[in-house]
Amino acid sequence: MLNQESLPKHLAIIMDGNGRWANNQGKVKIDGYKKGSEVAYDIAKYCTDLTIPYLTLYAFSMENWLRPKNETDCLFDLFYSVLTNEDKVNFICNCNIKLNFIGNLSLLSSKILDQIKKAEEMTHKNDGLLLTVAVSYGAKQEITQAISNIIKENIAYVSEEEFEKFLYTKDLPKLDLLIRTGGEKRLSNFLLWQAAYAELYFCDTLWPDFSCQDLNKALEDYTKREKKYGR
């Protein structure tokens, strides 16, 4: 039984393994991402049931732009279809989920940007889970952009707290737990600054197979850890 008071306030997930899942199933890669998008909704809904207030999902990295154009086009076609799916939007609203998108969004097409804006506007009054989707996101790029903006403002010195105001995650609380599915054990340029003292959890389950039971295992592991923060 999970102890509600010990659960993370801010949970982040690297949703890895979509392509391998599709290959194992004898399907094309985009089918893995379609199944993975359904899992994302299930996990977001479960987080609302657990009253976890912040969930951040790694959807598309800066490095993903290096993939073949036909693959990235398919991914953003899927992204667009999800954003414009009335049933999905109603699901989000009925779950009292507020959507937030972070990353170098200037690289996205105007069609995608318009739908992102609409999704954020349609859910901005919801006060349950804040679901942040990292798209065209890279932590190194986030940090260097923050430094560039600080230089532009001619600020001679900034504290850690001031520096964080220049990050994409400036409106989010500290990261408590970062989960990566799919068996790999690296952060892959995701929330590098924010993960400095976050608990890390890696599992072999491919993202399309990841379930609420799998999340429970990660959360149970998290609640048992002693967090000293260097002290």
Side-chain angles (χ1 to χ4, degrees):
M1 189 70 178
L2 291 171
N3 181 352
Q4 292 289 127
E5 294 183 358
S6 300
L7 292 179
K9 296 294 186 290
H10 185 187
L11 165 67
I13 305 178
I14 300 174
M15 306 179 292
D16 193 26
N18 297 285
R20 280 174 285 155
W21 180 90
N23 186 60
N24 293 344
Q25 300 287 324
K27 301 176 182 291
V28 296
K29 186 177 284 190
I30 195 63
D31 289 332
Y33 287 97
K34 288 178 181 177
K35 180 66 165 59
S37 69
E38 296 296 329
V39 172
Y41 280 99
D42 292 340
I43 294 302
K45 171 64 168 61
Y46 190 53
C47 285
T48 66
D49 295 339
L50 295 173
T51 64
I52 292 174
Y54 298 92
L55 173 64
T56 300
L57 300 177
Y58 200 14
F60 190 89
S61 72
M62 287 295 292
E63 290 74 21
N64 288 155
W65 286 113
L66 300 175
R67 294 182 179 185
K69 187 176 185 300
N70 65 325
E71 184 176 333
T72 59
D73 286 347
C74 284
L75 287 172
F76 279 107
D77 284 344
L78 172 62
F79 191 47
Y80 181 81
S81 68
V82 169
L83 288 173
T84 56
N85 186 308
E86 188 174 339
D87 291 338
K88 301 296 186 188
V89 174
N90 288 337
F91 176 87
I92 290 290
C93 289
N94 291 337
C95 292
N96 196 26
I97 295 172
K98 181 177 180 178
L99 288 172
N100 175 46
F101 295 85
I102 62 171
N104 188 350
L105 304 183
S106 65
L107 298 178
L108 305 181
S109 69
S110 58
K111 181 175 79 169
I112 295 291
L113 286 173
D114 287 344
Q115 291 305 318
I116 283 177
K117 184 178 179 180
K118 287 180 182 178
E120 289 182 331
E121 288 175 348
M122 289 180 68
T123 62
H124 82 280
K125 291 184 179 180
N126 296 343
D127 58 2
L129 173 74
L130 178 62
L131 174 57
T132 299
V133 182
V135 185
S136 188
Y137 173 89
K140 288 182 177 180
Q141 293 84 353
E142 176 186 31
I143 292 169
T144 54
Q145 179 177 304
I147 294 170
S148 295
N149 289 334
I150 290 169
I151 292 172
K152 285 179 184 177
E153 295 194 17
N154 199 28
I155 301 173
Y157 171 81
V158 291
S159 64
E160 290 182 13
E161 292 75 17
E162 286 295 321
F163 182 80
E164 288 171 352
K165 293 177 182 178
F166 290 87
L167 298 176
Y168 295 135
T169 55
K170 60 183 180 297
D171 297 321
L172 301 179
K174 73 177 181 66
L175 181 61
D176 299 306
L177 172 63
L178 193 157
I179 297 172
R180 179 170 187 153
T181 66
E184 303 292 352
K185 295 178 174 63
R186 56 178 178 269
L187 297 184
S188 294
N189 203 18
F190 183 51
L191 300 180
L192 299 181
W193 175 279
Q194 298 84 347
Y197 271 104
E199 296 296 319
L200 307 180
Y201 181 91
F202 302 98
C203 69
D204 292 331
T205 306
L206 302 177
W207 177 249
D209 287 328
F210 194 78
S211 66
C212 296
Q213 289 71 32
D214 291 308
L215 179 56
N216 272 344
K217 290 179 183 177
L219 295 174
E220 287 172 3
D221 180 82
Y222 172 83
T223 60
K224 294 174 183 176
R225 297 186 188 184
E226 183 179 4
K227 304 162 189 68
K228 296 181 178 179
Y229 303 106
R231 291 189 291 272

